[in-house]
Amino acid sequence: MSPQDTPQPPALARAVLDRAAELRHEPGLLERLRSEPGTRVLAVHGDRAPLRAGRLHLVAADEIVGAVHWALLARADDGHAVLLAATGARDEPPVELTDEAAQWSSLRAVGGDLDAEEAGLLVEAVALARWLVDAPFCPACGGRLVPRAAGWSRSCPDCGREHFPRTDPAVIVVVTDPAGGRLLLGRNALWGERVLYSAFAGFVEAGESLESALVREVAEEAGVAVSRLDYRGSQSWPYPRSLMLGFTAVAAEPGQARADGEEIIDVRWFTRDELRAALDGAGDVELPGGASIAHALIRDWVSGQVR
Ligand SMILES: [Zn+2]
């Protein structure tokens, strides 16, 4: 296979960052790094970060204003630290953007356009920020948690438990017909008037395997029994804290496909030509954005990299 024939991982899963985890337990680490001149900060406001000319716009630690959540994100190639400074979407932003060319942009909207390293850094930052902002209290006793490990864990001073950022596994799947010439996608009720079709997805329930969750979700949402499950890759999707596990599967009886009428309001079989047109922005339907694993699953099938 030539390089262009090799399926690319989903957009947010192409980089292996140096998270410098061995530093996290150094006492006073974040204070020390904040005072080092080479340290840069990725400000996160909800799911948005500053972008300038298509790149992440990192700032100096002394540009951060107000009460923010701090954490160590990574060690850059030059050896300097990259820190997170996060606030919630309803709070004030952690930095005032004085550069007119910089603007707040969401992971969902721009994650597919960033280079691999920056996409990986942004998804790490948004996922950690979400936990730091949304889960300030101990789930066991209600005590207010105290940050530990440079933002990567928190302990409860009342009951002593230690807590870590949670990740919820979710399966996502594109379904082909047995001949491999058509792909089944669904239109979700949440998307309203938009004629947007995407892969089928759902959370893995308690006590369930990935495979069982996938078979159950497709049966519930699209009415078909599937087999020949093929794992395609994963990526974090912090909306609010999912790990999306991507698969392809084959429908036993394509003619039985029908929407559940609640979560999914329509299902439709597409040819490669129809989806190629939609990926190019032509045709009558919209497909999920480039940051999503659904986009990668559809793109790989269209390009013939998946049966
Ligand atoms: Zn507690």
Side-chain angles (χ1 to χ4, degrees):
M1 283 203 324
S2 62
Q4 59 266 39
D5 293 333
T6 307
Q8 281 278 309
L12 307 181
R14 288 180 189 156
V16 179
L17 300 175
D18 175 4
R19 294 185 170 202
E22 81 282 1
L23 299 180
R24 289 177 188 166
H25 290 282
E26 176 188 316
L29 175 72
L30 291 175
E31 291 72 20
R32 175 172 74 76
L33 293 175
R34 278 158 58 183
S35 67
E36 283 189 2
T39 295
R40 284 160 295 164
V41 181
L42 178 52
V44 168
H45 183 221
D47 73 338
R48 300 186 304 160
L51 250 71
R52 188 181 186 287
R55 304 282 315 267
L56 289 179
H57 177 61
L58 303 180
V59 300
D62 62 9
E63 294 181 68
I64 300 299
V65 292
V68 306
H69 297 278
W70 288 96
L72 172 61
L73 289 177
R75 179 165 39 216
D77 289 343
D78 62 8
H80 290 298
V82 180
L83 302 183
L84 167 71
T87 60
R90 289 183 295 275
D91 304 322
E92 291 295 316
V95 66
E96 186 182 343
L97 298 182
T98 50
D99 184 337
E100 283 185 6
Q103 58 183 353
W104 292 99
S105 308
S106 78
L107 170 69
R108 192 194 293 269
V110 302
D113 301 324
L114 295 171
D115 72 27
E117 298 286 323
E118 294 200 343
L121 190 66
L122 182 55
V123 71
E124 177 195 7
V126 171
L128 185 58
R130 199 110 195 198
W131 176 68
L132 291 168
V133 168
D134 287 351
F137 300 108
C138 175
C141 79
R144 180 172 279 280
L145 299 172
V146 176
R148 295 270 186 261
W152 285 92
S153 77
R154 289 193 286 194
S155 67
C156 177
D158 296 336
C159 74
R161 282 184 173 84
E162 191 173 11
H163 301 282
F164 299 91
R166 276 194 52 188
T167 293
D168 295 340
V171 289
I172 181 161
V173 58
V174 289
V175 176
T176 71
D177 65 0
R182 293 183 303 159
L183 195 72
L184 183 68
L185 300 175
R187 185 177 169 194
N188 196 300
L190 293 174
W191 301 327
E193 295 299 306
R194 294 171 72 189
V195 187
L196 192 161
Y197 284 80
S198 188
F200 302 97
F203 289 110
V204 180
E205 294 190 341
E208 199 172 36
S209 68
L210 299 180
E211 294 82 356
S212 300
L214 193 158
V215 169
R216 174 182 56 75
E217 284 288 346
V218 177
E220 287 173 4
E221 297 185 357
V224 287
V226 293
S227 61
R228 292 165 60 190
L229 314 186
D230 187 10
Y231 174 67
R232 303 296 308 170
S234 69
Q235 78 173 8
S236 168
W237 191 247
Y239 292 98
R241 58 184 182 210
S242 299
L243 175 66
M244 307 302 299
L245 298 134
F247 289 82
T248 59
V250 178
E253 303 278 354
Q256 292 183 346
R258 64 183 56 80
D260 65 17
E262 294 179 15
E263 186 174 349
I264 302 295
I265 54 175
D266 186 36
V267 296
R268 182 169 154 188
W269 288 100
F270 292 89
T271 65
R272 282 191 169 81
D273 285 344
E274 289 170 327
L275 291 176
R276 196 173 288 119
L279 287 170
D280 290 340
D284 61 344
V285 303
E286 187 183 349
L287 295 176
S292 67
I293 192 170
H295 181 94
L297 291 168
I298 295 167
R299 180 201 63 206
D300 285 349
W301 182 79
V302 168
S303 65
Q305 287 164 348
V306 179
R307 67 179 171 231

